Amino acid sequence: MNKYNEHIKESIDYFNHELECRKHQVSDSSFQTTLQLAKEKTAYETAIECLKKQLQQPPVKATHKSIIHENRGDQPHAWIKSHCELWECPCCGNTVWSGISIAKKSPYCSDCGQKIDWEEVK
């Protein structure tokens, strides 16, 4: 694990700890304090979510099956079974690579921003 990922995990741990403290913190019943605690809780949850997306995750291989109608002019029409291999984001399921060798493998999901680890994909 590189130093960058270690810092991300440390930050996630810190924000999780602070979030737990906010959940158990007893307010002195002032509305402003309660409102401030709610804002802090939302900020910590957002920070944790964003930091987790910076930790690389391998894409998920998926096979989509479909039936294609083939029309070759004067020949009889045919229905052909087709299998297409795709790689999807592990967080949101968005297609991040279609398996076509000339297509570029994006380092991030274009839908949710998850960082993608392509090292194990052949």
Side-chain angles (χ1 to χ4, degrees):
M1 179 183 305
N2 66 31
K3 205 168 201 166
Y4 179 74
N5 285 346
E6 288 178 26
H7 289 304
I8 290 174
K9 288 185 178 186
E10 288 171 3
S11 298
I12 290 170
D13 290 343
Y14 171 79
F15 286 128
N16 274 323
H17 174 74
E18 289 297 314
L19 189 56
E20 280 302 310
C21 290
R22 297 305 180 270
K23 286 179 182 176
H24 298 294
Q25 190 172 13
V26 179
S27 136
D28 56 7
S29 279
S30 85
F31 180 73
Q32 283 299 87
T33 303
T34 304
L35 186 61
Q36 182 63 32
L37 287 173
K39 286 181 181 179
E40 287 177 10
K41 180 180 176 277
T42 302
Y44 288 131
E45 289 170 341
T46 303
I48 291 167
E49 183 181 335
C50 292
L51 285 168
K52 283 182 178 179
K53 291 201 183 264
Q54 290 302 305
L55 295 172
Q56 287 187 339
Q57 299 288 327
V60 177
K61 187 176 184 177
T63 302
H64 292 267
K65 298 177 183 178
S66 61
I67 297 176
I68 300 170
H69 178 255
E70 184 178 61
N71 180 357
R72 294 192 175 198
D74 59 347
Q75 296 178 356
H77 293 226
W79 293 96
I80 301 170
K81 291 181 182 179
S82 172
H83 295 85
C84 178
E85 290 184 348
L86 304 170
W87 279 261
E88 298 176 344
C89 174
C91 291
C92 70
N94 181 46
T95 300
V96 291
W97 189 51
S98 63
I100 300 171
S101 61
I102 60 170
K104 182 181 176 192
K105 294 176 185 172
S106 177
Y108 293 92
C109 173
S110 62
D111 196 36
C112 73
Q114 174 64 50
K115 192 170 186 177
I116 305 295
D117 181 9
W118 291 106
E119 286 185 19
E120 297 178 17
V121 175
K122 296 176 182 176

